Amino acid sequence: MKHLPCLLLAAVLAIPAHAAEPDDCIAIIGTGSVGGALGPRFAGLGERIVYGSRTPDEERVRNLVARTGARATAVAPAGAAAACGTIVLAVPWSAVEATIRSFGALDGKLIIDVTNPLGVRNGVEVAAPIEAGSMGELVQSLAPGAHVVKAFNTVYYTVMAHPATAGGPVSVLISGDDAGSKARVARLAAGIGFEPVDVGPLRTARYTEAMALLLVSRLVSGQRPFDFQLHPWPVKQAE
Ligand SMILES: NC(=O)c1ccc[n+]([C@@H]2O[C@H](COP(=O)([O-])OP(=O)(O)OC[C@H]3O[C@@H](n4cnc5c(N)ncnc54)[C@H](OP(=O)(O)O)[C@@H]3O)[C@@H](O)[C@H]2O)c1
């Protein structure tokens, strides 16, 4: 019964709810809280993980590789991005542009953008103004031939690692312009225990990035944070 909402949502979205089929590999760029949470979870689906780290030989990164599984490796970010068809961007927003510019060709690759343009100043959350409208759209402008999908950015990293610790089902909000790429991300999200919800084209990343700011505002003010679960209307309402 626990997975029923997930199955229902997947049916609504016409997305298969089974675990993702293994891709060639998934490059996880950034080995911090998010990279360290998603890497082992995707590996659990049978995906081969290649971490992209500025210090791939550091003990901290080697420990992450070891707990991800026997097939996992870590190399420099550009090498990881070149090796895999799917790239998870899990670096600070301020490092995104330089990181992508350091990559080679990205045409046809799926980039899952988890970044949020925010920070904390004097104990208060602050949004960073992004001229492109959102980090998702900025990433797309830097890699015009790639399929950029915004996802997982409204989920706290401890919940990414252990969704069962949330108070109930948690949605992964998916923004993107390519249906096949969004379906692949939805399968990954469902496979690791989340409810994938297609919220629209990539420009809707503006709104999910603001939702993440709401979550951070709760965290920094010491209040109980939220997990987000979206309920699509069962039928379209009259105009
Ligand atoms: N924390 C969350 O719960 C959460 C949830 C949703 C979304 N996000 C977003 O996801 C992204 C990653 O968040 P995080 O919490 O994983 O951050 P983090 O713990 O600070 O890790 C970011 C990683 O990015 C890499 N990196 C590359 N360039 C960097 C630079 N110039 N400065 C610092 N690190 C750099 C580092 O890995 P290497 O040292 O191996 O290169 C670092 O460990 C952020 O954009 C954040 O807003 C976070």
Side-chain angles (χ1 to χ4, degrees):
M1 285 302 285
K2 199 168 147 249
H3 298 297
L4 194 58
C6 172
L7 290 169
L8 285 175
L9 256 183
V12 168
L13 299 166
I15 292 165
H18 54 72
E21 67 278 4
D23 191 10
D24 49 351
C25 57
I26 297 180
I28 307 240
I29 312 300
T31 59
S33 303
V34 169
L38 289 180
R41 301 297 321 283
F42 291 156
L45 298 177
E47 303 283 352
R48 185 165 63 82
I49 304 300
V50 180
Y51 291 104
S53 171
R54 296 165 302 169
T55 55
D57 298 323
E58 192 188 339
E59 188 180 1
R60 175 188 63 82
V61 180
R62 281 195 276 115
N63 288 341
L64 172 59
V65 169
R67 74 177 168 86
T68 302
R71 297 198 306 149
T73 52
V75 297
C84 301
T86 299
I87 299 166
V88 176
L89 212 47
V91 299
W93 70 270
S94 52
V96 162
E97 183 161 351
T99 300
I100 293 184
R101 288 196 192 285
S102 75
F103 293 167
L106 293 168
D107 289 2
K109 297 196 185 223
L110 164 58
I111 301 180
I112 304 174
D113 172 33
V114 189
T115 67
N116 285 314
L118 52 82
V120 178
R121 196 178 303 137
N122 300 328
V124 176
E125 71 289 347
V126 284
I130 302 299
E131 206 177 317
S134 65
M135 289 307 295
E137 292 160 282
L138 173 63
V139 172
Q140 186 69 79
S141 72
L142 293 167
H147 302 300
V148 178
V149 174
K150 185 95 207 177
F152 297 103
N153 63 305
T154 59
V155 182
Y156 194 54
Y157 77 99
T158 56
V159 178
M160 291 178 194
H162 306 287
T165 60
V170 179
S171 300
V172 163
L173 280 49
I174 298 176
S175 307
D177 296 331
D178 180 69
S181 301
K182 287 204 280 192
R184 159 110 171 108
V185 177
R187 286 194 295 274
L188 287 170
I192 63 170
F194 295 101
E195 292 187 349
V197 182
D198 183 342
V199 295
L202 188 60
R203 67 180 162 75
T204 59
R206 302 169 182 203
Y207 315 128
T208 71
E209 290 174 12
M211 289 169 72
L213 198 59
L214 177 62
L215 171 59
V216 171
S217 77
R218 300 285 296 184
L219 285 164
V220 297
S221 62
Q223 300 180 80
R224 261 166 56 168
F226 307 111
D227 291 306
F228 296 106
Q229 186 194 19
L230 262 55
H231 301 275
W233 287 356
V235 291
K236 188 174 184 295
Q237 305 295 313
E239 300 291 332

